[in-house]
Amino acid sequence: MIWSSRHDSAIIPAMQIIHEEIMRHVPSSNETRRLFHGRGRCFAGYDDLVIDYFPPVLMVILYRQRSEAWLDELAHMLTAALPDNPCTIILQERFLPGGPSRMLTGELPEHPEAREAGLSYRLRLGEARNVGFFPDMAVGRKLVRERAAGKRVLNLFAYTCSFSVAALVGGARHVVNLDMNRGALELGKLNHRLNAIDLRGASFMPLEFFRSVGRLRKLGPFDLVICDPPASQGKSFTALQHWPKLIRKLPDLVVPGGEILACLNAPDLGPDFLVRLFAEIIPETENLGVHRPGEDFPEAFPDCGVSLHHYRLPLTTER
């Protein structure tokens, strides 16, 4: 299919590039998908553009300003190209303070949701910079769901608890969710209820990690610990300063033979950053592999993308 513009003919080549890429990723069901991942630097001139699909809502994220004519053309192309002809397109302008959102077309559903692998997660579209769900963590949720059966899980920096939902659906015995954002944890509780998960299988602790290690030791040790901190969260977490401190605390929280899933989203550091830290701080851990988000997230420089590092502690606790 060749895309033709209604307006400025100079826009046609750019819209065609975007159109061809999104058509490669349109889901066959109502599941959430990343349709265009410009942040991976695979599309010259479009490093600023991301398009996520939460059927029936399209979310366009821009990291630099574009003209209203260009946005109008993009909205027309998206509406015509997708099989369900979505009438709702929301724009988030990340280049502005706070990353505000505004509607390009249509109205938001009363309760927008992301759907993935048969599970649902409530979204905060138009309300917050982070909408409550990260599509690039699908590979991590799948891994947790596959490995959680019968395990006690600690979900650090839990945010809206999507890892907890995946773990409990996968048969986890119990999940402790810790995050200093109380509102995010409340949304996490809702995500459990949306998926008919008994809340008695989960705990929700609105606390800062480094001030809560003692309490976590009493609740543990855990069979699986998930670490998914933000790249930067003010003074409470910065990758360079706090990842080494976090890794040093992990052996006291994990059972012998237990597993750690460490998620890194710091393009300037690269995955070797965590590999080196684990080798230096907990050299006895076994590296079970590095997982990446997959084909919906093409990266010109793969080492700069999101990476999930899977480790296992030895069966002996001697260090």
Side-chain angles (χ1 to χ4, degrees):
M1 174 180 177
I2 301 299
W3 175 252
S4 60
S5 171
R6 296 176 303 161
H7 305 301
D8 185 352
S9 61
I11 296 177
I12 293 175
M15 287 296 131
Q16 188 62 31
I17 290 170
I18 298 169
H19 177 267
E20 289 175 358
E21 179 62 12
I22 68 170
M23 296 308 292
R24 287 165 41 86
H25 302 282
V26 174
S28 57
S29 62
N30 66 347
E31 294 221 336
T32 292
R33 291 289 293 271
R34 172 69 50 89
L35 298 185
F36 191 87
H37 185 62
R39 299 293 281 173
R41 299 187 233 176
C42 290
F43 308 96
Y46 289 93
D47 297 358
D48 62 309
L49 176 64
V50 168
I51 303 174
D52 284 331
Y53 192 25
F54 305 103
V57 179
L58 276 162
M59 183 170 186
V60 175
I61 304 170
L62 284 180
Y63 289 83
R64 70 176 177 89
Q65 190 167 9
R66 298 257 179 190
S67 71
E68 292 300 317
W70 186 91
L71 288 169
D72 182 53
E73 191 68 37
L74 178 69
H76 173 63
M77 182 272 287
L78 291 171
T79 301
L82 294 178
D84 296 329
N85 292 319
C87 59
T88 299
I89 303 176
I90 185 170
L91 170 68
Q92 186 179 75
E93 298 174 300
R94 285 288 188 102
F95 56 88
L96 295 176
S101 297
R102 59 186 173 98
M103 301 304 301
L104 292 182
T105 64
E107 297 181 356
L108 286 175
E110 184 177 2
H111 299 299
E113 295 179 1
R115 299 175 185 87
E116 177 187 272
L119 302 175
S120 297
Y121 304 89
R122 182 63 52 82
L123 300 172
R124 301 186 296 180
L125 297 178
E127 299 177 21
R129 182 182 179 90
N130 291 325
V131 302
F133 183 81
F134 299 106
D136 57 5
M137 281 296 153
V139 65
R141 287 183 286 270
K142 181 175 183 291
L143 182 63
V144 168
R145 188 169 177 175
E146 291 171 349
R147 302 188 72 88
K151 294 180 178 178
R152 300 188 71 249
V153 179
L154 174 60
N155 186 21
L156 299 175
F157 310 94
Y159 195 46
T160 55
C161 306
S162 63
F163 278 124
S164 178
V165 170
L168 289 165
V169 170
R173 270 196 297 152
H174 192 86
V175 181
V176 173
N177 295 287
L178 184 141
D179 196 287
M180 60 191 298
N181 186 330
R182 187 182 295 271
L185 289 181
E186 288 300 318
L187 188 55
K189 291 180 184 178
L190 175 59
N191 284 335
H192 287 72
R193 292 194 292 269
L194 284 175
N195 294 287
I197 296 171
D198 190 335
L199 285 176
R200 290 175 295 183
S203 302
F204 303 87
M205 301 175 62
L207 301 170
E208 195 271 338
F209 170 71
F210 293 104
R211 298 178 182 176
S212 311
V213 174
R215 293 182 63 174
L216 293 173
R217 285 197 193 103
K218 293 178 182 177
L219 293 172
F222 300 89
D223 303 291
L224 172 63
V225 175
I226 303 163
C227 310
D228 186 16
S232 179
Q233 192 175 52
K235 295 181 179 179
S236 63
F237 198 95
T238 58
L240 284 172
Q241 180 181 356
H242 292 99
W243 261 114
K245 295 181 180 180
L246 170 57
I247 293 171
R248 289 189 185 97
K249 303 293 184 184
L250 293 178
D252 292 334
L253 301 174
V254 186
V255 299
E259 298 177 32
I260 300 165
L261 181 62
C263 310
L264 182 66
N265 182 18
D268 55 325
L269 297 177
D272 285 350
F273 172 73
L274 279 189
V275 173
R276 289 195 305 269
L277 286 180
F278 272 90
E280 293 168 5
I281 299 170
I282 323 177
E284 63 271 26
T285 53
E286 178 186 0
N287 189 335
L288 299 179
V290 178
H291 302 264
R292 301 186 187 279
E295 64 177 12
D296 285 351
F297 303 85
E299 295 282 346
F301 306 96
D303 284 352
C304 294
V306 172
S307 56
L308 298 94
H309 300 250
H310 191 190
Y311 290 93
R312 180 164 53 210
L313 288 178
L315 291 172
T316 175
T317 58
E318 295 179 6
R319 300 190 64 194

